[in-house]
Every structure is written in structure tokens, then in C-alpha cells.
Amino acid sequence: MTLFGGVEAGGTKFVCIIASKPDDIRAETRFPTTTPAETLGRVIDFFQRNSRRYPISALGISCFGPVDLDTSSPTYGYITTTPKPGWAQTDILHRLSDALKTPAILDTDVNGAALGEYRWGAGQGADPCLYLTIGTGIGGGGIVNGKPIHGLVHPEMGHMRLPHDWQADPFPGWCPYHGDCFEGLAAGPALEKRWGRRGETLPKDHPAWELEARYIALAVSNLVVAFSPRKIILGGGVMANQQLFTRVREEVVRLLNGYVQSPAILEHVDEYIVPPGLGARSGVLGAIALAEQLVLRE
Ligand code: ZN
């Protein structure tokens, strides 16, 4: 069995695994994100310690961003303008690839998660497939023709602009760039700032959830008409509140108003807008799927 290395590089924690597929994880570790030198040092140490027993053919990295994915760019494989102290302009791809002497590939955390779900999770057979994470921040990734979507940079679905009814919701949003973009209105910190308490402490019947479902549904319906995805997967801490799924599905159907004539939406929306099939492992298994694609391509 060909083994791959997977790294989920998050703003608060890193997860590293050695695996060939979800039910064949040979080694795993996780640790908090500190400085680049210390954190990447721990990644390198984990794979080196396991290299004799579990040699890997390639390394995949699902990384917090923004990241440079343009292979012709001098800063390809870098984390670019992150506000995270010490991490701006960090060449994560080559640092790991050189130290471990293995081919490596990098993508955004959400593209990684989308690929993981497409390969082994809730997105199997669904192309295009979109993955949104709604937690501390909001990000979106997608698979089109079997590959993660890149482009000018990479999708930033969390920053799409949504209609904002200031009377119903006077909260101005907290995105430092846009104020009331999707992330500014609906990420975990927006819940906390708007209602004065953390989302997970709000009762199930609190009006916060109706508003939250409304914003998520607005974003999802925009994505439906923009990408025509065959599956939309919603992950992240805010979506751990399972009752949100019912509200979001109902609101998406209502917003689309019969325009998108597909049984997937009109009859089976509960199988169309779904939680991740890989649970909290979409990102790190997506990194394994990235490495697998790299090897197959060569
Ligand atoms: Zn924004």
C-alpha cells in the first residue's frame, strides 16, 4: 500500500498523519500552531521519526491562507499575507519538501477538505463539489473536474457580499476588509459580538439561529447559481449545531424559489446540503488525497 503524508496546517493547530486512505491511518500527531520554526520543526520531526517504518511517497499540505498556488510564481507554496504573527511570507511547501526530501503539494485548507470529501466522504461522485467551513472564520473550496479550484489566487467564498437588512440586524459585521461580508456577518465571532455570548451557549430557539441560517442560506444559494454544484458540504464549529442544517436547507429552497429545476434541490435537499462525511478529518485526509493526486500526475 502506497503511503502518503498529510498535514493540516491550521491557524490554531497542526495535524499530521501517515495514511493511504481513511481506514488506514498508520501514524498521527497534533500540536498547537506556534512560530513557523517550531511548528514546522515538529512536522519534520514527526515524519522523520516515522520514515523508516512508514516511508511516504509524497506529502500533501492543506494550509490556512492566503497561500500562493501559482506554480509559475516566485512565491509559489508560500503563506502570503496572513495577519498571524510570524507566518506572513512563510515558504511552507519548500521548507517541508526539502527537509523531508519528498515531493510535496500545497492547497488551501478548504480545497483540501473539499478534495478529502470528494475522494472519500460526502462528496463522492459529486462534481462539482463545494465545501464551506463556518467557524472562527468562513472559507470555501471546491472540486471541479476532479481538481481543487484555483484561479487568480483561490476562491475566498467567505468574503462574498450578502444583502444585509440593517433594520433586522444592526450589527455592522467584523471583517476588517469588508465589515458585513459573509464572514463578517456569520462566522463564530460575529455570533459572539452580535449577541454578547458565544454561539455554543445560545439556546436552540434563540433568534440568533434564524438569522445565522438566513446568512448561510443566502451564501449557499449564491453558490448554487454560480457553480451548479452537485453537493454542498457545510463543516466548521458553527455547523456543529445540527439543527442549522434543517433551517439552511429550507431557506435555500425558499430563496431559489423553484428557479433551479433539479430534484436534488426540489426533492432531496437533505442529501444536497450535508455535513462532512469525514467529520473533523476532512482537511487532513484531503492532504492525503492531494499527495495521491501529485503521485498519480507524475
Ligand atoms: Zn470580508
Side-chain angles (χ1 to χ4, degrees), residues 159 175 178 181:
H159 296 271
C175 173
H178 315 114
C181 63

Short mmCIF file of all heavy atoms in Angstrom, two decimals, residues 159 175 178 181, ligand 1:
data_model
loop_
_atom_site.label_atom_id
_atom_site.label_comp_id
_atom_site.label_asym_id
_atom_site.label_seq_id
_atom_site.Cartn_x
_atom_site.Cartn_y
_atom_site.Cartn_z
N HIS A 159 -15.84 35.75 1.82
CA HIS A 159 -15.90 37.21 1.70
C HIS A 159 -16.90 37.67 0.66
O HIS A 159 -16.84 38.82 0.22
CB HIS A 159 -14.50 37.78 1.46
CG HIS A 159 -13.60 37.54 2.64
ND1 HIS A 159 -13.50 38.41 3.69
CD2 HIS A 159 -12.85 36.46 2.97
CE1 HIS A 159 -12.69 37.90 4.61
NE2 HIS A 159 -12.28 36.71 4.19
N CYS A 175 -15.59 41.94 9.62
CA CYS A 175 -14.47 41.69 8.71
C CYS A 175 -13.65 42.97 8.59
O CYS A 175 -14.19 44.03 8.30
CB CYS A 175 -14.96 41.27 7.32
SG CYS A 175 -13.60 41.15 6.13
N HIS A 178 -14.18 44.21 4.84
CA HIS A 178 -15.49 44.50 4.26
C HIS A 178 -16.58 44.81 5.28
O HIS A 178 -17.68 45.19 4.89
CB HIS A 178 -15.97 43.29 3.43
CG HIS A 178 -14.91 42.72 2.56
ND1 HIS A 178 -14.39 41.47 2.74
CD2 HIS A 178 -14.24 43.27 1.52
CE1 HIS A 178 -13.44 41.26 1.85
NE2 HIS A 178 -13.33 42.32 1.10
N CYS A 181 -19.39 41.44 5.10
CA CYS A 181 -19.39 40.32 4.16
C CYS A 181 -19.91 39.07 4.90
O CYS A 181 -20.24 39.14 6.09
CB CYS A 181 -17.98 40.08 3.60
SG CYS A 181 -16.80 39.60 4.87
ZN ZN B 1 -14.65 40.12 4.26
#
